[in-house]
Amino acid sequence: QAVMAMSGEGRLKLKEEELARAEVGGRMRRRDPVQFSHMERAHSHASCDEAREAGNEHFKRGEYADAAACYERALRLAGKA
């Protein structure tokens, strides 16, 4: 079993709902709201203003994790983070 797990075979496939239930129930540490995929998308912005505007648009649509990633990118580009 250990060899299978290390080789990537037999990986567990969990749904988002199952992870959320485990977090709420205390069986799993809560994940950070901003995940790597959010940071990857935010990294596509080349300027501080572009990242800030994208963050504003995400915020208006209720996409808060993407908004936070864009705001963090804007701060890094501005040299304040």
Side-chain angles (χ1 to χ4, degrees):
Q1 288 178 343
V3 172
M4 284 179 59
M6 291 179 70
S7 68
E9 294 178 32
R11 289 186 180 201
L12 290 175
K13 293 186 172 122
L14 298 174
K15 295 179 182 172
E16 180 63 30
E17 305 87 48
E18 295 169 326
L19 291 172
R21 273 198 309 272
E23 288 176 327
V24 170
R27 297 184 310 269
M28 177 178 140
R29 184 178 73 77
R30 287 196 180 273
R31 295 170 287 168
D32 290 329
V34 178
Q35 297 292 310
F36 184 70
S37 60
H38 303 118
M39 297 304 290
E40 279 185 317
R41 286 191 293 273
H43 192 71
S44 68
H45 304 296
S47 73
C48 174
D49 288 335
E50 182 184 340
R52 182 181 49 80
E53 286 299 321
N56 290 343
E57 290 303 314
H58 285 297
F59 188 84
K60 288 175 189 175
R61 292 192 299 261
E63 299 165 350
Y64 302 117
D66 279 310
C70 287
Y71 294 142
E72 183 176 335
R73 174 74 173 154
L75 288 171
R76 287 188 188 282
L77 289 170
K80 296 182 180 183

